[in-house]
Amino acid sequence: MKYVITSDYKYIFLESGGPDGELGASLRYLSQRFSMPYPELKAILTDIGTEELGHLEMIGAIVYQLTKNLTPEEIKKAGFDDYFVDHTTGIYPTSASGQPYTASSMAVKGDPITDLHEDLAAEQKARTTYDNILRFCDDPDVKDAIRFLRAREVVHYQRFGEGLRICTDKLNSKNFYAFNPSFDKKK
């Protein structure tokens, strides 16, 4: 979601609908759970995917509260006018650059190791996005919420790391690509 957040007339953009945003994270994890072969990893994906929906709600609420009373002059000055014409201050998922959300930004391969590595990277990218938001934001209430969300991305990263360890411990020679001798055979 691209929104202008006003705070002492300073503006920053929040991204929830972009490739590293909360919407994509939620859909990625909740989609990956279907092909995850281990119940404990399905549970991790379900828990974190559901929590990401809560993060989307938090971001949407912050953005709405900070944009609902913008004047036409503030909207135009912030470069929010094109968005406003199409959506007013409605919550519409786009990237910070204004591109509408697309599922093409999320990766789901059906391979547990590949998916968990994707999830680890996604959490780090989300943390970096929150770091960048904190660099521009001067509203203490918004900063507190963003710090909370950033901390949760770190926890998610740790949980996916634990999940990767569980996964590699459970895989056997028939389905673990690094040890599968059939991949080395020439036909």
Side-chain angles (χ1 to χ4, degrees), residues 5-51:
I5 294 184
T6 62
S7 166
D8 299 327
Y9 297 100
K10 295 193 179 189
Y11 302 94
I12 65 171
F13 292 94
L14 278 181
E15 180 181 330
S16 285
D20 306 322
E22 304 295 352
L23 178 61
S26 179
L27 294 175
R28 176 186 304 111
Y29 307 148
L30 294 173
S31 296
Q32 287 174 351
R33 71 173 300 284
F34 292 108
S35 59
M36 186 56 69
Y38 309 112
E40 56 270 58
L41 297 179
K42 281 185 181 191
I44 289 172
L45 289 165
T46 301
D47 290 350
I48 295 174
T50 303
E51 184 176 344

Side-chain angles (χ1 to χ4, degrees), residues 2-6 9 11 13 63-64 66-90:
K2 178 183 174 186
Y3 286 95
V4 179
I5 294 184
T6 62
Y9 297 100
Y11 302 94
F13 292 94
V63 168
Y64 179 72
L66 294 171
T67 59
K68 69 181 178 181
N69 294 320
L70 290 176
T71 67
E73 293 78 24
E74 290 172 320
I75 291 168
K76 191 170 184 174
K77 181 180 176 186
F80 191 48
D81 46 339
D82 290 341
Y83 180 93
F84 186 84
V85 168
D86 288 341
H87 307 288
T88 317
T89 56

Side-chain angles (χ1 to χ4, degrees), residues 142-182:
V142 173
K143 286 180 93 162
D144 284 347
I146 298 302
R147 283 188 191 105
F148 169 81
L149 293 169
R150 182 194 181 282
R152 293 308 299 161
E153 304 303 346
V154 172
V155 170
H156 296 168
Y157 179 84
Q158 293 167 339
R159 290 207 51 213
F160 284 132
E162 294 163 5
L164 184 59
R165 170 51 54 203
I166 292 168
C167 184
T168 55
D169 287 348
K170 287 181 173 266
L171 289 172
N172 62 39
S173 62
K174 289 185 177 181
N175 62 6
F176 186 31
Y177 66 91
F179 300 111
N180 191 335
S182 66

